[in-house]
Amino acid sequence: MSKQQLLTPYHKNINLKNRVVMAPMTRSRADNEGSVATDELHGLYYEQRASAGLIITEGSQVSKDAVGYIHTAGIHTEEQVEGWKKVTKRVHDKGGKIFIQLWHVGRMSHPDFHNGELPLAPSAINPNAKSYTPEGFKDTVTPKAMTIDDIKTTVKDFKNAAANAIKAGFDGVEIHSSNGYLFHQFFTATSNLRTDEYGGNIENRTRFFFEVLDAMKEVIPQEKIGVRFNPSLDGLFGITMDEETIPTFESIIKKLNDYNLAYVHLSEPFTDVSNIPFAVKEIAKHFRPLYNGTLMINSAFDQVKGNKVIEDGYADLVAYGKPFISNPDLVERFRDHLELAEWDESTFYVPGAKGYTDYPTASK
């Protein structure tokens, strides 16, 4: 049997023992007043999965303004940095590598998280979605359009979060510029109606993202920065595609060739976009020729499809989400061609160890 591409090492800006990446997944386990990652839960959870070539943590809010889901661990206070230090140590002690995903949800938040104040967004447009608040799901509201000062403050928040990530011992960071959150809201013409230098044409709608990236470069090497995008997202998280959507992402990806990043992380479509004439149905295949650096792909890959997308040359790394929840030894199961355990969706976002750190390995 030929060697699996997923299990081969990867060395290009980022040195990985294999190409199986643990995707970022919100798990809502920071059930404490300071929104702090804990050793007994987060530490154990990520340690159990340290055989991945790379772990990307759940989204971690860069400020109080950035939060939009209950019990998510932040990276903007000293207490939070100290909590994450315990997590990174556990992963490193097991020979693993771990990036933290830096997150601002923008208009996908709710006033319940902000003492009654409106969440921030590029424009005052309600995404007409749901926000998971301490009191359960609530309808989103019309957000506050960010001022120039709000934008400048948020740039500083991401820069500070990147510096905190290094203090906490992370091997790098991923900018969550995907899935309908703040950066994606700026990219998309249907959610960004600004008439200043942050709205209108593609260069303006992507300006905020590149300002954040350039600011972060001042405190962390470029090769320790990854970025994530979901180009053909439609009908979810308040995002609606239009004719400029794919050209916008093409412009971003091409411009990123001027940087020396750890990777670009792309998602295949979350829903059927075959009836949208301007959507791209095969993301990795479409964007691979546009980007010279490391390309990571995710969304609904299994072992066979993961190996094939690398063999075909469309991606260098493959990120797995839900399979890593119920299979802490996913890499070993791929290696030995073992059946995967099923996950329990009812425990995805509840507090405690159940459905989080209690999934056994195949050897137990």
Side-chain angles (χ1 to χ4, degrees):
M1 185 177 296
S2 61
K3 189 170 182 63
Q4 296 186 61
Q5 290 299 309
L6 281 168
L7 303 184
T8 60
Y10 185 76
H11 304 291
K12 184 176 178 179
N13 277 10
I14 184 169
N15 294 311
L16 306 180
K17 58 192 175 187
N18 60 62
R19 300 171 188 238
V20 181
V21 177
M22 179 176 170
M25 293 174 284
T26 300
R27 301 304 309 277
S28 298
R29 255 51 181 206
D31 184 15
N32 54 69
E33 190 161 338
S35 300
V36 176
T38 63
D39 186 39
E40 62 271 21
L41 281 177
H42 299 79
L44 178 58
Y45 172 69
Y46 288 116
E47 176 190 37
Q48 289 172 336
R49 291 153 180 81
S51 60
L54 175 66
I55 290 171
I56 309 170
T57 73
E58 63 219 81
S60 184
Q61 57 264 15
V62 299
S63 70
K64 286 185 177 180
D65 288 339
V67 69
Y69 294 83
I70 62 168
H71 305 153
T72 53
I75 186 67
H76 55 91
T77 71
E78 285 304 315
E79 186 184 11
Q80 291 166 350
V81 170
E82 291 303 310
W84 282 117
K85 278 182 181 178
K86 298 170 184 174
V87 176
T88 60
K89 183 179 187 306
R90 278 199 181 221
V91 172
H92 291 152
D93 286 349
K94 288 290 185 178
K97 288 198 171 180
I98 183 168
F99 276 36
I100 186 170
Q101 189 186 62
L102 303 182
W103 195 25
H104 193 308
V105 308
R107 66 180 188 169
M108 289 302 294
S109 188
H110 190 277
D112 285 4
F113 290 108
H114 308 292
N115 297 316
E117 298 293 321
L118 295 175
L120 300 175
S123 299
I125 303 172
N126 191 334
N128 295 313
K130 296 286 185 181
S131 177
Y132 190 31
T133 77
E135 297 178 0
F137 281 106
K138 291 188 178 183
D139 292 335
T140 54
V141 301
T142 300
K144 174 197 170 188
M146 295 172 75
T147 64
I148 297 296
D149 283 344
D150 289 332
I151 291 173
K152 289 180 178 177
T153 296
T154 306
V155 171
K156 291 178 182 176
D157 289 338
F158 273 89
K159 180 179 179 179
N160 178 63
N164 283 344
I166 297 302
K167 291 179 189 174
F170 283 100
D171 298 293
V173 303
E174 178 179 281
I175 304 174
H176 195 353
S177 33
S178 185
N179 296 0
Y181 298 123
L182 185 62
F183 292 106
H184 203 156
Q185 293 159 27
F186 270 88
F187 299 154
T188 305
T190 54
S191 54
N192 181 351
L193 302 182
R194 301 179 73 95
T195 57
D196 60 8
E197 63 265 41
Y198 294 98
N201 60 37
I202 289 174
E203 181 181 1
N204 285 354
R205 283 187 277 110
T206 60
R207 185 184 307 277
F208 171 49
F209 167 80
F210 282 102
E211 286 183 350
V212 167
L213 181 56
D214 289 337
M216 286 171 51
K217 280 165 43 188
E218 297 175 12
V219 295
I220 183 172
Q222 291 182 59
E223 59 269 22
K224 292 181 179 292
I225 301 174
V227 293
R228 188 182 187 194
F229 306 105
N230 193 338
S232 282
L233 183 72
D234 183 79
L236 295 172
F237 308 109
I239 294 297
T240 302
M241 296 187 71
D242 63 16
E243 291 86 349
E244 280 207 334
T245 297
I246 295 302
T248 298
F249 285 103
E250 289 173 341
S251 174
I252 294 169
I253 299 301
K254 289 176 183 177
K255 190 171 179 178
L256 288 174
N257 284 316
D258 296 332
Y259 293 78
N260 193 32
L261 301 181
Y263 58 79
V264 167
H265 182 179
L266 301 177
S267 296
E268 296 291 350
F270 283 1
T271 56
D272 182 5
V273 295
S274 56
N275 291 325
I276 302 174
F278 39 80
V280 168
K281 301 164 189 64
E282 295 180 283
I283 293 295
K285 187 175 182 179
H286 180 87
F287 284 94
R288 171 74 282 179
L290 304 183
Y291 186 60
N292 301 326
T294 298
L295 189 68
M296 182 189 303
I297 192 67
N298 81 5
S299 191
F301 280 85
D302 58 16
Q303 183 178 2
V304 172
K305 291 178 181 178
N307 279 306
K308 188 174 190 307
V309 75
I310 297 173
E311 289 169 1
D312 290 344
Y314 297 138
D316 304 298
L317 309 171
V318 182
Y320 292 87
K322 292 176 183 177
F324 254 120
I325 289 178
S326 51
N327 299 275
D329 57 342
L330 184 65
V331 173
E332 290 79 8
R333 291 186 191 233
F334 281 175
R335 180 195 66 202
D336 298 333
H337 297 278
L338 300 178
E339 185 177 352
L340 300 188
E342 291 295 316
W343 53 80
D344 179 1
E345 290 199 21
S346 70
T347 63
F348 278 3
Y349 310 112
V350 299
K354 183 174 173 55
Y356 191 60
T357 57
D358 59 350
Y359 285 105
T361 61
S363 60
K364 289 186 179 179

